[in-house]
Protein backbone atom coordinates (compact mmCIF):
# COMPACT_ATOMS: atom_id res chain seq x y z
CA UNK A 1 0.00 0.00 0.00
CA UNK A 2 1.36 3.42 -0.95
CA UNK A 3 2.14 5.76 1.91
CA UNK A 4 -0.46 8.46 2.38
CA UNK A 5 0.42 12.09 1.92
CA UNK A 6 -0.93 14.62 4.38
CA UNK A 7 -2.42 17.99 3.46
CA UNK A 8 -3.65 20.82 5.69
CA UNK A 9 -7.14 22.29 5.60
CA UNK A 10 -7.10 25.77 4.09
CA UNK A 11 -8.76 28.68 5.90
CA UNK A 12 -10.70 30.55 3.23
CA UNK A 13 -11.56 33.56 5.38
CA UNK A 14 -8.79 34.51 7.84
CA UNK A 15 -11.24 36.54 9.90
CA UNK A 16 -13.32 33.39 10.50
CA UNK A 17 -10.35 31.07 11.00
CA UNK A 18 -11.18 27.40 11.52
CA UNK A 19 -14.85 28.02 10.76
CA UNK A 20 -13.91 28.58 7.12
CA UNK A 21 -11.39 25.75 6.78
CA UNK A 22 -11.91 23.41 3.83
CA UNK A 23 -9.91 20.51 2.38
CA UNK A 24 -8.25 22.04 -0.68
CA UNK A 25 -5.57 19.93 -2.34
CA UNK A 26 -2.80 21.23 -4.63
CA UNK A 27 -3.34 19.69 -8.04
CA UNK A 28 -1.31 19.97 -11.24
CA UNK A 29 -3.49 19.56 -14.34
CA UNK A 30 -2.13 18.77 -17.78
CA UNK A 31 -4.01 18.80 -21.07
CA UNK A 32 -2.49 18.78 -24.55
CA UNK A 33 0.86 19.97 -23.24
CA UNK A 34 -0.59 22.80 -21.16
CA UNK A 35 0.10 22.63 -17.42
CA UNK A 36 -1.86 24.54 -14.78
CA UNK A 37 -1.32 24.36 -11.02
CA UNK A 38 -4.55 24.72 -9.08
CA UNK A 39 -6.10 24.13 -5.71
CA UNK A 40 -9.10 21.79 -5.75
CA UNK A 41 -11.83 21.30 -3.17
CA UNK A 42 -11.87 17.65 -2.12
CA UNK A 43 -15.64 17.19 -1.87
CA UNK A 44 -16.80 13.74 -0.85
CA UNK A 45 -20.37 14.98 -1.20
CA UNK A 46 -19.98 15.84 -4.88
CA UNK A 47 -21.04 13.19 -7.37
CA UNK A 48 -18.43 14.29 -9.90
CA UNK A 49 -15.42 16.49 -10.65
CA UNK A 50 -16.12 20.07 -11.79
CA UNK A 51 -13.79 22.30 -13.78
CA UNK A 52 -14.54 26.06 -14.03
CA UNK A 53 -14.58 27.53 -17.52
CA UNK A 54 -11.44 29.69 -17.25
CA UNK A 55 -9.29 26.84 -15.97
CA UNK A 56 -10.32 24.77 -18.97
CA UNK A 57 -9.31 27.62 -21.26
CA UNK A 58 -5.94 27.90 -19.48
CA UNK A 59 -5.47 24.20 -20.22
CA UNK A 60 -5.96 24.94 -23.89
CA UNK A 61 -9.32 23.21 -24.12
CA UNK A 62 -11.70 24.40 -26.82
CA UNK A 63 -15.36 24.42 -25.83
CA UNK A 64 -16.61 23.55 -29.32
CA UNK A 65 -14.36 20.50 -29.44
CA UNK A 66 -15.81 19.00 -26.26
CA UNK A 67 -19.01 17.48 -27.57
CA UNK A 68 -20.30 15.32 -24.73
CA UNK A 69 -22.79 17.22 -22.54
CA UNK A 70 -22.80 16.59 -18.80
CA UNK A 71 -25.94 17.16 -16.79
CA UNK A 72 -25.31 19.08 -13.58
CA UNK A 73 -27.70 19.89 -10.74
CA UNK A 74 -28.19 22.54 -8.09
CA UNK A 75 -26.68 25.98 -8.71
CA UNK A 76 -24.73 24.56 -11.63
CA UNK A 77 -27.82 23.31 -13.46
CA UNK A 78 -28.21 26.55 -15.42
CA UNK A 79 -24.71 26.37 -16.92
CA UNK A 80 -23.80 24.11 -19.81
CA UNK A 81 -21.15 21.54 -18.99
CA UNK A 82 -19.15 19.18 -21.19
CA UNK A 83 -16.97 16.20 -20.42
CA UNK A 84 -13.21 16.59 -20.60
CA UNK A 85 -10.40 14.25 -19.60
CA UNK A 86 -7.37 15.82 -17.96
CA UNK A 87 -4.23 14.34 -16.44
CA UNK A 88 -3.81 15.36 -12.82
CA UNK A 89 -0.98 14.99 -10.34
CA UNK A 90 -1.59 15.06 -6.61
CA UNK A 91 1.45 15.54 -4.39
CA UNK A 92 4.21 13.05 -5.11
CA UNK A 93 1.86 10.47 -6.64
CA UNK A 94 1.85 9.34 -10.25
CA UNK A 95 -0.50 11.27 -12.58
CA UNK A 96 -4.04 9.97 -12.92
CA UNK A 97 -6.75 10.51 -15.52
CA UNK A 98 -9.55 12.72 -14.29
CA UNK A 99 -12.86 13.23 -16.04
CA UNK A 100 -14.30 16.69 -15.33
CA UNK A 101 -17.61 18.33 -15.98
CA UNK A 102 -16.22 21.47 -17.63
CA UNK A 103 -18.81 24.11 -16.88
CA UNK A 104 -19.29 27.50 -18.53
CA UNK A 105 -19.47 28.85 -14.99
CA UNK A 106 -16.55 30.61 -13.28
CA UNK A 107 -18.21 31.13 -9.90
CA UNK A 108 -17.42 27.61 -8.77
CA UNK A 109 -14.22 26.20 -7.28
CA UNK A 110 -12.45 23.29 -8.87
CA UNK A 111 -14.23 20.36 -7.26
CA UNK A 112 -12.88 16.83 -7.11
CA UNK A 113 -15.68 14.42 -6.24
CA UNK A 114 -16.76 10.79 -6.28
CA UNK A 115 -16.39 10.36 -10.07
CA UNK A 116 -13.63 9.99 -10.43
CA UNK A 117 -11.23 11.50 -7.88
CA UNK A 118 -12.45 9.27 -5.06
CA UNK A 119 -12.24 6.27 -7.39
CA UNK A 120 -8.54 6.98 -7.97
CA UNK A 121 -7.53 8.01 -4.47
CA UNK A 122 -8.43 6.95 -0.95
CA UNK A 123 -9.01 9.98 1.22
CA UNK A 124 -9.20 10.23 4.99
CA UNK A 125 -10.35 13.42 6.69
CA UNK A 126 -9.17 14.38 10.16
CA UNK A 127 -11.16 17.57 10.64
CA UNK A 128 -10.38 17.76 14.37
CA UNK A 129 -6.74 18.13 13.41
CA UNK A 130 -7.42 20.19 10.25
CA UNK A 131 -5.59 17.71 8.04
CA UNK A 132 -6.55 15.11 5.47
CA UNK A 133 -4.62 12.26 3.92
CA UNK A 134 -4.60 11.00 0.36
CA UNK A 135 -3.14 7.82 -1.08
CA UNK A 136 -3.58 6.23 -4.52
CA UNK A 137 -6.01 3.34 -4.76
CA UNK A 138 -4.51 -0.12 -4.51
CA UNK B 1 -46.64 45.96 -19.76
CA UNK B 2 -49.46 43.97 -18.20
CA UNK B 3 -49.26 40.77 -16.22
CA UNK B 4 -51.00 38.83 -18.99
CA UNK B 5 -48.31 40.00 -21.41
CA UNK B 6 -45.56 38.99 -18.99
CA UNK B 7 -46.96 35.59 -18.05
CA UNK B 8 -45.84 33.62 -21.14
CA UNK B 9 -42.28 34.91 -20.65
CA UNK B 10 -42.33 34.10 -16.95
CA UNK B 11 -43.70 30.63 -17.60
CA UNK B 12 -40.91 29.91 -20.07
CA UNK B 13 -38.18 30.73 -17.54
CA UNK B 14 -35.98 27.94 -16.18
CA UNK B 15 -36.99 26.70 -12.75
CA UNK B 16 -34.04 28.39 -11.02
CA UNK B 17 -35.01 31.76 -12.52
CA UNK B 18 -38.64 31.28 -11.44
CA UNK B 19 -37.45 30.68 -7.89
CA UNK B 20 -35.23 33.76 -8.08
CA UNK B 21 -38.19 35.79 -9.35
CA UNK B 22 -40.33 34.60 -6.43
CA UNK B 23 -37.56 35.63 -4.03
CA UNK B 24 -37.20 39.05 -5.66
CA UNK B 25 -40.96 39.71 -5.57
CA UNK B 26 -41.21 38.56 -1.96
CA UNK B 27 -38.30 40.82 -1.02
CA UNK B 28 -39.87 43.76 -2.88
CA UNK B 29 -43.25 43.38 -1.18
CA UNK B 30 -41.61 42.87 2.23
CA UNK B 31 -39.50 45.99 1.75
CA UNK B 32 -42.58 48.03 0.78
CA UNK B 33 -44.41 46.78 3.84
CA UNK B 34 -41.43 47.40 6.11
CA UNK B 35 -41.20 43.72 6.97
CA UNK B 36 -37.81 42.19 7.62
CA UNK B 37 -37.60 39.22 5.31
CA UNK B 38 -34.03 38.07 5.73
CA UNK B 39 -34.23 34.91 3.69
CA UNK B 40 -35.83 36.40 0.59
CA UNK B 41 -33.06 38.79 -0.41
CA UNK B 42 -30.10 36.60 0.44
CA UNK B 43 -28.51 34.21 -1.99
CA UNK B 44 -26.75 31.27 -0.45
CA UNK B 45 -24.75 29.50 -3.17
CA UNK B 46 -24.40 25.76 -2.80
CA UNK B 47 -22.10 24.64 -5.54
CA UNK B 48 -21.63 21.02 -4.61
CA UNK B 49 -23.21 18.87 -7.32
CA UNK B 50 -24.13 16.30 -4.72
CA UNK B 51 -26.77 14.59 -6.82
CA UNK B 52 -25.42 14.93 -10.37
CA UNK B 53 -25.53 11.17 -10.83
CA UNK B 54 -26.50 11.30 -14.50
CA UNK B 55 -23.51 13.56 -15.15
CA UNK B 56 -21.29 11.23 -13.14
CA UNK B 57 -22.45 8.30 -15.27
CA UNK B 58 -21.58 10.28 -18.39
CA UNK B 59 -18.05 10.93 -17.09
CA UNK B 60 -17.55 7.25 -16.27
CA UNK B 61 -18.60 6.34 -19.81
CA UNK B 62 -16.20 8.94 -21.25
CA UNK B 63 -13.35 7.51 -19.16
CA UNK B 64 -14.20 4.00 -20.26
CA UNK B 65 -14.38 4.97 -23.95
CA UNK B 66 -11.09 6.89 -23.67
CA UNK B 67 -9.38 3.87 -22.11
CA UNK B 68 -10.54 1.61 -24.93
CA UNK B 69 -9.40 4.12 -27.56
CA UNK B 70 -5.91 4.60 -26.11
Amino acid sequence: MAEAQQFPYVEIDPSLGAASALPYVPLTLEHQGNVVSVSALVDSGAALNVLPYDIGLQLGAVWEQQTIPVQLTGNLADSDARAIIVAGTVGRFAPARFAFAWTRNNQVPIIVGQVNFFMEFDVCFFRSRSIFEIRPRE
Amino acid sequence: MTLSELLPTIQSLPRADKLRLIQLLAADVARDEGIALDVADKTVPIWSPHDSFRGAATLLQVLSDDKVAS
Side-chain angles (χ1 to χ4, degrees):
Chain A
M1 180 187 292
E3 194 178 335
Q5 187 168 349
Q6 234 173 51
F7 299 91
Y9 273 62
V10 176
E11 292 182 359
I12 306 303
D13 184 341
S15 69
L16 295 174
S20 69
L22 288 172
Y24 273 87
V25 66
L27 186 63
T28 302
L29 299 176
E30 193 270 332
H31 181 68
Q32 296 175 342
N34 299 296
V35 178
V36 178
S37 293
V38 298
S39 191
L41 177 63
V42 182
D43 186 353
S44 63
L48 40 62
N49 304 324
V50 178
L51 190 71
Y53 188 62
D54 278 352
I55 302 296
L57 295 180
Q58 288 174 38
L59 286 166
V62 177
W63 181 260
E64 290 73 21
Q65 290 175 1
Q66 310 304 320
T67 55
I68 301 172
V70 180
Q71 188 176 331
L72 294 179
T73 55
N75 282 15
L76 291 166
D78 289 340
S79 304
D80 283 343
R82 295 182 180 177
I84 184 171
I85 294 179
V86 173
T89 304
V90 178
R92 59 173 179 270
F93 304 127
R97 284 187 320 145
F98 294 116
F100 280 93
W102 182 25
T103 171
R104 292 287 286 215
N105 202 310
N106 275 318
Q107 305 303 314
V108 61
I110 299 171
I111 295 171
V112 287
Q114 294 295 334
V115 173
N116 67 326
F117 185 86
F118 282 81
M119 298 168 81
E120 294 293 331
F121 293 94
D122 292 326
V123 184
C124 198
F125 298 96
F126 302 92
R127 183 59 175 85
S128 62
R129 292 191 278 145
S130 289
I131 56 171
F132 60 103
E133 289 182 353
I134 296 179
R135 64 160 54 94
R137 67 174 184 180
E138 289 181 44
Chain B
M1 189 172 279
T2 64
L3 180 60
S4 57
E5 288 171 321
L6 280 172
L7 266 179
T9 306
I10 292 171
Q11 283 166 341
S12 68
L13 287 172
R15 193 172 55 172
D17 285 347
K18 284 179 181 169
L19 285 170
R20 195 166 298 160
L21 181 62
I22 292 167
Q23 288 179 325
L24 285 171
L25 292 174
D28 267 4
V29 172
R31 198 176 303 114
D32 291 345
E33 299 294 326
I35 301 167
L37 196 57
D38 287 338
V39 177
D41 57 359
K42 281 186 182 172
T43 300
V44 183
I46 300 172
W47 293 111
S48 181
H50 67 280
D51 57 352
S52 297
F53 305 123
R54 194 175 298 274
T58 302
L59 293 187
L60 281 178
Q61 187 61 51
V62 169
L63 278 168
S64 174
D65 293 347
D66 182 67
K67 200 168 189 177
V68 169
S70 59

